[in-house]
Amino acid sequence: MSDIRILAIESSCDETAAAVVENGRHVRSNIISTQIPIHTLYGGVVPEIASRKHIERMDQVIEQALAEAECTLSDLDAIAVTYGPGLVGALLCGVAEAKAIAFAAGLPLVGVHHIEGHISANYIEYPDLEPPFICLVVSGGHTHLVRVSDYGSYEILGRTVDDAAGEAFDKVARAIGLGYPGGPKVEKKALEGDPDAIAFPKAHVTGSDYDFSFSGLKSAVLNYMNGCKMRGETYNEADIAASFQKAVVGALTDHAVMAIEEFGVKKLALAGGVASNGAFRESVRSACEERGVEFYCPSPILCTDNAAMIGAAAYYEFIAGRRSGWDLNAVPALKLGERA
Ligand code: KG4
Ligand code: ZN
């Protein structure tokens, strides 16, 4: 079979990204234009600004991805695009662009689920990795524990019932004055602090062992800070960051271990922006090592939003014969496993 080359587009949040991926595993180019400096001014992502910036940058990002991959449209087999979940306006920019290019070039269109993309980043990092495995997807919008039984086949074991873990990082960062995006800033601050300084709670969701809850933890951090202020005491931001990070990492690791033990899986993968956190990677890696489980985690650049992961996911959709129609639309609350 000849090589299958896919141009993938990702614009679900605040990164405008395009990549050319061969056979789902080999990245020929991976261009990411981040909007973080713009949204930092407002303390978080402003959806209208995100859409406008995607429109401004999209063509250039795609041209660069094709140029770096030394490809023209005639060298491609398909155009892939994230169509959900995400910000509706931001998603629409990518979906409209992908449809226009695919239609003009006479190429098939493959709509991709953003979380499926995050999971598939592992296929790029580990060319020999094959399902079945369990994947803990932890990002700014999602915290999902997923059983990947085959390519494109997912069972959600647990998910957050309130805030995503990355969202909790972002909110706590804002509360302690670190700014946006919070994850990397909290991680850096935590290096100077004592993770055992403050005992923040690890939430348990009644009736569902695999679900997560992070809003209580975020409130516990805010209450701790308010309590200090009311008593006229100062608090140590580094200790808060380190103790908060320990609580999040502990909850995530506990769930992963529970799944390993219950399902007897031999492989565990991480995915999503929070998986670029060193303390989190190390905690799950050592839990896996103790139990003789293979541990997988993409490089940080493949953990945060990018289009190469969409190209990897699209390849398995493509070879399974799945195509999207010209009526493909953005689906902001698309569920994993649901297809347009
Ligand atoms: O996967 P991603 O780029 O976008 C979504 O699909 O949401 O994840 C972004 C999230 C943000 O909440 C960001 O604060 C968090 O990932 N994040 C981190 C780190 N780097 C990014 N959280 C903790 N530690 C990090 N080093
Ligand atoms: Zn993402």
Side-chain angles (χ1 to χ4, degrees), residues 305-317:
D305 287 350
N306 66 86
M309 67 185 198
I310 303 303
Y315 170 76
Y316 291 100
E317 295 285 330

Side-chain angles (χ1 to χ4, degrees), residues 75-326:
D75 300 316
L76 299 174
D77 295 282
I79 307 291
V81 64
T82 308
Y83 72 104
L87 302 170
V88 66
L91 287 165
L92 270 175
C93 298
V95 169
E97 181 90 15
K99 284 203 269 193
I101 297 174
F103 188 75
L107 289 168
L109 179 70
V110 181
V112 174
H113 191 290
H114 184 74
I115 301 284
E116 182 171 18
H118 274 301
I119 294 170
S120 304
N122 283 285
Y123 298 139
I124 297 171
E125 191 75 40
Y126 304 97
D128 297 326
L129 172 65
E130 291 193 34
F133 58 92
I134 283 199
C135 189
L136 186 49
V137 190
V138 194
S139 73
H142 316 275
T143 310
H144 281 49
L145 188 63
V146 183
R147 207 168 160 197
V148 183
S149 46
D150 199 352
Y151 295 107
S153 175
Y154 308 100
E155 182 195 346
I156 298 170
L157 301 175
R159 56 157 66 83
T160 182
V161 294
D162 40 55
D163 290 353
E167 198 179 344
F169 268 97
D170 294 334
K171 287 178 177 168
V172 166
R174 196 179 309 166
I176 56 179
L178 297 177
Y180 173 86
K185 293 189 172 157
V186 169
E187 179 176 15
K188 195 157 167 247
K189 195 80 186 163
L191 293 173
E192 305 156 21
D194 173 6
D196 298 314
I198 311 151
F200 288 129
K202 241 193 270 172
H204 177 75
V205 180
T206 321
S208 176
D209 286 345
Y210 286 112
D211 281 347
F212 302 90
S213 166
F214 293 106
S215 76
L217 173 59
K218 173 202 66 193
S219 305
V221 172
L222 298 179
N223 289 342
Y224 172 81
M225 292 171 67
N226 286 335
C228 291
K229 279 185 202 153
M230 277 162 64
R231 291 190 300 275
E233 295 166 10
T234 55
Y235 48 74
N236 182 317
E237 282 132 13
D239 284 348
I240 296 177
S243 303
F244 160 78
Q245 182 173 275
K246 185 185 171 189
V248 176
V249 167
L252 294 169
T253 308
D254 288 353
H255 282 60
V257 165
M258 211 160 49
I260 287 171
E261 287 173 355
E262 180 170 345
F263 298 103
V265 285
K266 290 279 154 264
K267 300 177 204 167
L268 188 119
L270 300 184
V274 181
S276 58
N277 181 289
F280 175 44
R281 295 160 83 98
E282 184 44 35
S283 168
V284 182
R285 192 200 58 75
S286 75
C288 286
E289 195 179 74
E290 279 167 27
R291 291 164 181 83
V293 170
E294 295 279 347
F295 171 72
Y296 301 87
C297 188
S299 307
I301 193 68
L302 292 172
C303 285
T304 44
D305 287 350
N306 66 86
M309 67 185 198
I310 303 303
Y315 170 76
Y316 291 100
E317 295 285 330
F318 182 85
I319 59 171
R322 286 190 279 271
R323 308 284 184 268
S324 303
W326 301 124

